[in-house]
Amino acid sequence: MSAQVIALADVRAQDPDRDVAARHLPAVMSPAQLGKELDVTVRTLERWRVAGEGPDYQNPKGTRFYRYYGSDVEAWLENRKPGAATPGQDTNL
């Protein structure tokens, strides 16, 4: 798991009333933007989408574009335990 994902989850665990803006997550993000925020690749986000393991996303009908809402990413981080493995990460290392 990337250090930034752990840090965001830890911040949420310490102060659950903080809003998305306080964590500097944009309201709407492309996969590239979210990848930078979480320190993961766009391909990792794609694998999470296919496996249903990552944050919720939006795919406007008739397009090939995906968007992530900051509030959905926050909800995903909130439901993860701090220090938990990133979806698909090998924990048997």
Side-chain angles (χ1 to χ4, degrees), residues 67-81:
R67 293 294 177 255
Y68 294 88
Y69 290 110
S71 58
D72 291 338
V73 174
E74 282 299 317
W76 178 70
L77 290 168
E78 179 181 317
N79 291 321
R80 300 173 50 75
K81 295 179 182 173

Side-chain angles (χ1 to χ4, degrees), residues 43-57 66 68 76 86-89:
R43 178 69 177 126
T44 295
L45 292 171
E46 181 181 347
R47 283 193 304 269
W48 291 352
R49 282 194 309 268
V50 170
E53 297 176 331
D56 287 342
Y57 61 90
Y66 295 92
Y68 294 88
W76 178 70
T86 301
Q89 179 181 0

Side-chain angles (χ1 to χ4, degrees), residues 4-57:
Q4 193 163 8
V5 171
I6 293 169
L8 285 170
D10 288 343
V11 165
R12 182 63 179 166
Q14 293 170 7
D15 188 0
D17 295 326
R18 291 184 63 180
D19 63 8
V20 171
R23 276 187 280 300
H24 308 290
L25 286 177
V28 179
M29 294 168 277
S30 69
Q33 291 169 315
L34 180 59
K36 286 180 184 178
E37 292 290 338
L38 298 180
D39 195 25
V40 298
T41 66
V42 172
R43 178 69 177 126
T44 295
L45 292 171
E46 181 181 347
R47 283 193 304 269
W48 291 352
R49 282 194 309 268
V50 170
E53 297 176 331
D56 287 342
Y57 61 90

